[in-house]
Amino acid sequence: KQNIKLNVDATEDNCIKAMAERYKIDTEKYDRRMIRLIAGVRYEMVQKDFSADNRFVFSDEISIDTVLDIKEVGFILQGVEISQEPVRVYIRGDLAPHVLGTIGAISEDEYQATLDASGNTRYTRSDVIGKTGIEYGLESTLKGTEGTRTIMRSTKGEVVSDTITDPVQPGNSIKLTIDPKLQEDLQEMLINHINWLHWYNDPTRGNECDSGAIVVLNAKTGAVLGMASYPTYDLIEYQKDPLGVANGKDGMSMFNLATMGLFRPGSAFKSLNATAGLCEGLIDRNT
């Protein structure tokens, strides 16, 4: 209502009518449902700042039949292009999902945060961006730069020239220190131990435990060799139903306890305190 300049008490009918007028939708030609669909697409194009330099993705994962239909009438659909793009495929969606992290459509706030002092950015409003994990933490390293393709048409709509003006600059690759086999073992050990605590049913040993984390580091370098967190999720399932996965396990599935959890340090911290005391000369080996 705010974006289309309507009062807060405007009804659904008021909104549809206002958008139909704004986008010059023929209300005599189209029924209410089609008017709503057209208005929704036009509104989304405005929100995503559509222009000749900033494309709007109308639909993805379209069928070959749809591709052929569009190609047949392409000469009358000026500005409509079909593009083939790489698709992310996870071989093991359940292996270190918290570490790898997730991606999703860039939000308005995220887009604004990418603008430099001159208002320039490497992103468009239709981009996908890292949301959690390594995808988020190393987004600037993984992100490439889109190229520019210049197409010239005749007045009849025929393509006269098709030139790559600026080539695409791919992002950099990242290799993790995670050991896949160790990671798989840690995840299995973690859930098995939680199940054992339930079976053992000793209140003093954590029989109500329903979450936990394990981290294994290289003691010489600090490199993370394995990082398991439970509850966990599957990146393949997340691709299909992000909201459902995010709300699973009481909303804890995507919470990385290894990096985001707060725990009492426990007896393991005593050795650190003792070491600090020895280094500072506050205690000696006989204290």
Side-chain angles (χ1 to χ4, degrees):
K1 293 174 184 179
Q2 182 179 7
N3 289 340
I4 60 176
K5 305 296 189 290
L6 291 181
N7 295 329
V8 293
D9 59 348
T11 65
E12 293 176 13
D13 286 331
N14 296 146
C15 293
I16 295 296
K17 183 178 180 181
M19 289 204 287
E21 292 175 356
R22 168 172 292 199
Y23 303 129
K24 297 180 174 60
I25 302 171
D26 190 340
T27 55
E28 299 294 328
K29 181 178 179 180
Y30 302 109
D31 61 22
R32 178 180 171 82
R33 178 176 180 275
M34 187 55 69
I35 292 171
R36 168 66 184 86
L37 291 174
I38 296 172
V41 171
R42 291 295 306 277
Y43 177 81
E44 193 75 7
M45 292 171 79
V46 172
Q47 293 300 107
K48 293 192 174 180
D49 199 24
F50 169 74
S51 68
D53 298 323
N54 185 24
R55 68 179 183 174
F56 173 77
V57 179
F58 180 80
S59 181
D60 54 18
E61 298 186 29
I62 60 176
S63 67
I64 289 297
D65 290 339
T66 303
V67 171
L68 295 175
D69 289 341
I70 294 173
K71 289 287 188 183
E72 287 178 0
V73 294
F75 65 95
I76 61 172
L77 298 176
Q78 293 190 28
V80 176
E81 296 290 339
I82 295 174
S83 64
Q84 290 179 296
E85 298 183 352
V87 176
R88 184 172 306 234
V89 176
Y90 295 102
I91 305 302
R92 283 285 304 274
D94 62 333
L95 197 63
H98 297 96
V99 178
L100 296 179
T102 59
I103 56 176
I106 190 170
S107 68
E108 180 62 23
D109 289 341
E110 288 170 332
Y111 177 79
Q112 292 296 331
T114 67
L115 299 175
D116 61 21
S118 302
N120 299 317
T121 177
R122 298 160 63 196
Y123 293 84
T124 68
R125 283 185 165 87
S126 59
D127 266 337
V128 168
I129 194 170
K131 298 289 186 177
T132 62
I134 292 294
E135 295 281 11
Y136 170 78
L138 293 175
E139 167 66 28
S140 59
T141 302
L142 292 165
K143 169 68 176 173
T145 303
E146 291 192 358
T148 303
R149 179 183 174 197
T150 303
I151 300 174
M152 296 186 67
R153 295 178 181 269
S154 67
T155 54
K156 296 180 180 179
E158 299 170 338
V159 175
V160 176
S161 66
D162 188 343
T163 309
I164 302 297
T165 312
D166 296 311
V168 171
Q169 300 294 329
N172 294 305
S173 297
I174 292 172
K175 184 176 181 180
L176 303 182
T177 55
I178 296 282
D179 181 288
K181 183 63 175 69
L182 176 61
Q183 178 69 27
E184 187 174 20
D185 290 344
L186 290 179
Q187 291 180 189
E188 186 175 352
M189 288 165 59
L190 181 57
I191 183 60
N192 285 345
H193 188 66
I194 291 174
N195 288 336
W196 177 81
L197 289 173
H198 291 177
W199 173 83
Y200 194 63
N201 198 28
D202 182 350
T204 66
R205 297 290 296 273
N207 67 328
E208 295 182 354
C209 172
D210 57 5
S211 61
I214 304 177
V215 180
V216 176
L217 305 177
N218 181 321
K220 294 182 179 180
T221 66
V224 178
L225 303 179
M227 181 184 289
S229 179
Y230 184 85
T232 186
Y233 67 103
D234 191 309
L235 288 166
I236 297 174
E237 294 301 317
Y238 180 83
Q239 276 187 318
K240 299 175 183 176
D241 182 18
L243 194 59
V245 171
N247 292 332
K249 297 282 185 180
D250 299 322
M252 289 287 292
S253 296
M254 300 184 67
F255 190 84
N256 188 355
L257 285 164
T259 59
M260 301 163 69
L262 298 176
F263 306 97
R264 296 186 183 93
S267 294
F269 206 76
K270 294 174 183 176
S271 58
L272 297 180
N273 286 332
T275 302
L278 288 168
C279 291
E280 294 296 320
L282 299 176
I283 60 173
D284 59 34
R285 60 188 296 177
N286 298 314
T287 299

